[in-house]
Amino acid sequence: MCLDSPSPHGCYKPGHRSRLIYRPRRDDGQRDGRKSFSWRDYRDLLIAAHQQLGGPIVLIWDNLNVHKAADLREWVEARDWLTIYYLPPYAPDLNPVEGIWSLLRRGWLSNVAFSTPEHLVQRIRRGLRHIQYRTHLIDGCLAETSLAIRPA
């Protein structure tokens, strides 16, 4: 099961160690350029996660407009390995990814004056990599939600 925010996905499977899959995206700097993930970026991340995890994915998403984009919904419907559930509107307390962002904000991103966009991306990657190898931190973010992962 993967839970989403624009970049980190906490992945949980009963009996296996928790995982964090992420793909930071930088603004391309163009005036009319996209500043956030497009439906294609989410599609590509889901394909990579499916290949990495090697099995079906149940995805828990918030109600971000791009998560409900028609092109993405159409793509998802054609994938029998992907099931999506949506959190209720504005439910950060149910979203484990909010805990990942909180760890980043309180740790690797706190008290830093970023000199360049690359510096910011470097710190985010370093923090996510640190969290990625400490499964107890990922598990703690799920525990904070009071949600339980149970096999069907």
Side-chain angles (χ1 to χ4, degrees):
M1 176 176 298
C2 295
L3 299 112
D4 169 68
S5 188
S7 53
H9 288 60
C11 297
Y12 306 94
K13 184 175 183 181
H16 293 79
R17 88 185 245 285
S18 301
R19 300 177 69 174
L20 185 68
I21 297 175
Y22 60 92
R23 184 176 286 178
R25 182 187 190 285
R26 257 193 67 207
D27 178 6
D28 61 12
Q30 297 177 10
R31 181 179 175 105
D32 294 328
R34 187 169 189 91
K35 297 184 186 312
S36 61
F37 268 35
S38 70
W39 78 267
R40 289 178 190 88
D41 294 322
Y42 282 107
R43 176 200 61 201
D44 296 347
L45 183 61
L46 289 168
I47 291 168
H50 178 60
Q51 290 171 346
Q52 184 176 349
L53 298 171
I57 295 175
V58 176
L59 187 63
I60 311 297
W61 257 345
D62 59 18
N63 287 284
L64 186 65
N65 62 350
V66 72
H67 292 165
K68 294 187 172 189
D71 290 332
L72 185 57
R73 280 195 326 256
E74 182 179 318
W75 180 82
V76 166
E77 288 172 8
R79 306 296 174 270
D80 63 350
W81 52 265
L82 182 58
T83 304
I84 296 180
Y85 294 100
Y86 292 95
L87 292 170
Y90 193 73
D93 52 321
L94 296 176
N95 191 344
V97 174
E98 294 296 333
I100 300 292
W101 284 115
S102 178
L103 289 170
L104 285 171
R105 283 191 302 270
R106 290 182 288 131
W108 297 270
L109 303 180
S110 67
N111 300 316
V112 177
F114 298 105
S115 54
T116 64
E118 289 79 20
H119 184 208
L120 172 62
V121 170
Q122 177 189 41
R123 293 292 292 219
I124 290 171
R125 284 184 187 271
R126 184 176 297 146
L128 289 171
R129 199 168 28 253
H130 181 87
I131 295 167
Q132 183 177 34
Y133 293 111
R134 286 156 183 85
T135 59
H136 68 280
L137 294 175
I138 301 168
D139 293 340
C141 292
L142 177 63
E144 276 294 310
T145 67
S146 300
L147 298 174
I149 305 297
R150 291 185 297 271

